[in-house]
């Protein structure tokens, strides 16, 4: 599927084009991008990210220039069906990360892991090697480097020529960072993965299946990490905006 046909596979949430593809279709689309070496910044959108874009023009511009935005949060799935057209299903970033590694293992895809604390990234890389033996991890580096070190980080990624670059440096840093350097990095799939390395390393557990099924993953995270309450104020704001917009249509 090329970029042109992709545009018919998006739904609009406040001028942000969100993919309506299922998980399977997304993995196939991204596999094709790897095969053809076509650069893709993948953003996994949740209401917090959408609100950040609405409140910050620079962040919005990064999102609008991303090649693929998938509906990571249940709030985004809900908003899509109210505002424009429904998405096929939720495509959670954590699940997409695993699906891509599973898909790439028999094909020997090369992955570069960038982000999280040094101990976390070391354990996460070891676990990924164990779980997906065919994947070649060509780089692993923690996410605590300064802007002055960007050049050195980019040079190493370019030298390793990965197929996949996963960046875990919190949403407010990782998406703008990838957006700023994606042309130089020239990696087929570059994706911000937030707390995924922590989850893989067993530092932060993902919500139990029942909470996810009840669409309460956000509440689980809030209860586990109460310090997140401030950024979670974006959730009611987002819901209110969606409801108000629907009434105007
Ligand atoms: N992180 C990082 N560098 C930073 C800030 C965060 O590598 O400068 C890592 C952090 O260790 C964690 C991940 O980014 O593994 C997600 O962090 P956080 O939960 O703060 O992000 P958010 O929930 O905003 O995506």
């Amino acid at each position: 599927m090329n970029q042109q046909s992709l545009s018919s596979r998006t739904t609009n949430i406040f001028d942000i084009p969100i993919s309506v593809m299922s998980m399977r279709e997304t993995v196939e689309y991204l596999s094709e991008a790897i095969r053809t070496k076509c650069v893709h910044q993948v953003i996994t959108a949740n209401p917090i990210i959408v609100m950040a874009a609405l409140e910050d023009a620079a962040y919005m511009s990064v999102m609008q220039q991303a090649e693929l935005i998938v509906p990571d949060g249940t709030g985004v799935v809900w908003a899509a069906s109210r505002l424009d057209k429904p998405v096929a299903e939720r495509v959670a970033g954590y699940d997409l990360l695993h699906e891509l590694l599973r898909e790439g293992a028999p094909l020997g895809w090369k992955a570069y892991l960038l982000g999280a604390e040094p101990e976390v990234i070391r354990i996460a890389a070891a676990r990924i090697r164990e779980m997906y033996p065919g994947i070649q991890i060509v780089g692993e580096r923690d996410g605590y480097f300064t802007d002055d070190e960007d050049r050195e980080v980019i040079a190493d990624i370019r030298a390793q020529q990965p197929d996949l670059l996963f960046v875990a440096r919190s949403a407010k840093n990782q998406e703008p960072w990838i957006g700023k350097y994606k042309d130089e990095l020239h990696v087929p799939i570059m994706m911000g993965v937030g707390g995924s390395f922590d989850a893989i390393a067993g530092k932060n557990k993902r919500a139990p299946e029942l909470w996810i099924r009840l669409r309460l993953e956000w509440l689980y995270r809030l209860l586990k990490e109460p310090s997140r309450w401030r950024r979670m104020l974006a959730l009611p704001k987002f819901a209110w905006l969606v409801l108000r917009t629907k009434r105007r249509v």
Side-chain angles (χ1 to χ4, degrees):
M1 194 190 321
N2 58 29
Q3 281 297 296
Q4 200 175 10
S5 59
L6 179 65
S7 65
S8 65
R9 300 202 174 206
T10 59
T11 184
N12 234 341
I13 298 184
F14 307 126
D15 292 332
I16 299 173
I18 309 276
S19 160
V20 297
M21 291 187 282
S22 66
M23 175 63 86
R24 191 62 232 158
E25 289 168 325
T26 305
V27 171
E28 280 167 16
Y29 171 77
L30 293 175
S31 303
E32 178 67 7
I34 290 182
R35 210 182 54 73
T36 55
K37 299 203 182 304
C38 178
V39 168
H40 276 69
Q41 174 172 16
V42 182
I43 297 183
T44 63
N46 58 30
I48 296 176
I49 289 184
V50 171
M51 291 312 293
L54 293 177
E55 285 162 11
D56 176 353
Y59 203 93
M60 177 61 103
S61 152
V62 170
M63 290 199 75
Q64 289 180 334
Q65 287 172 52
E67 285 72 17
L68 184 69
I69 306 180
V70 298
D72 172 80
T74 49
V76 171
V77 174
W78 165 74
S81 56
R82 285 195 64 114
L83 293 176
D84 192 8
K85 61 181 179 206
V87 299
E89 61 183 335
R90 180 179 178 205
V91 179
Y94 184 77
D95 297 334
L96 181 56
L97 164 70
H98 281 283
E99 289 299 321
L100 287 170
L101 292 172
R102 186 168 302 125
E103 188 79 8
L107 302 168
W109 285 353
K110 294 189 275 178
Y112 197 113
L113 314 179
L114 178 66
E117 290 159 10
E119 182 65 1
V120 168
I121 191 65
R122 198 183 58 71
I123 299 171
R127 287 241 50 212
I128 290 173
R129 282 194 181 94
E130 237 170 68
M131 292 164 80
Y132 306 103
I135 292 288
Q136 305 173 56
I137 298 188
V138 294
E140 52 183 271
R141 178 175 185 137
D142 71 80
Y144 293 86
F145 54 89
T146 63
D147 294 353
D148 292 342
E149 291 169 290
D150 280 355
R151 304 265 31 115
E152 182 205 319
V153 174
I154 292 165
D156 189 54
I157 296 169
R158 282 174 59 100
Q160 302 307 328
Q161 302 193 327
D163 300 299
L164 303 156
L165 170 64
F166 296 118
V167 185
R169 293 184 80 201
S170 97
K172 71 175 186 307
N173 293 325
Q174 67 200 16
E175 268 67 40
W177 193 87
I178 295 173
K180 183 171 175 192
Y181 294 121
K182 66 181 175 186
D183 292 335
E184 269 182 81
L185 289 164
H186 216 270
V187 178
I189 310 298
M190 292 171 277
M191 179 167 129
V193 294
S196 295
F197 295 154
D198 296 79
I200 291 173
K203 189 181 167 207
N204 287 337
K205 295 256 183 307
R206 218 184 156 202
E209 196 53 45
L210 181 64
W211 291 69
I212 296 177
R213 269 215 311 278
L214 294 174
R215 302 182 181 178
L216 291 174
E217 193 170 8
W218 61 272
L219 178 60
Y220 180 85
R221 290 200 77 179
L222 180 60
L223 294 173
K224 283 290 217 192
E225 296 174 70
S227 59
R228 301 179 70 87
W229 73 269
R230 197 180 292 277
R231 80 183 98 169
M232 284 194 150
L233 290 177
L235 297 177
K237 270 202 215 166
F238 175 80
W240 174 238
L241 197 59
V242 172
L243 293 170
R244 226 177 40 190
T245 305
K246 179 68 180 175
R247 259 188 243 122
R248 272 209 306 265
V249 173

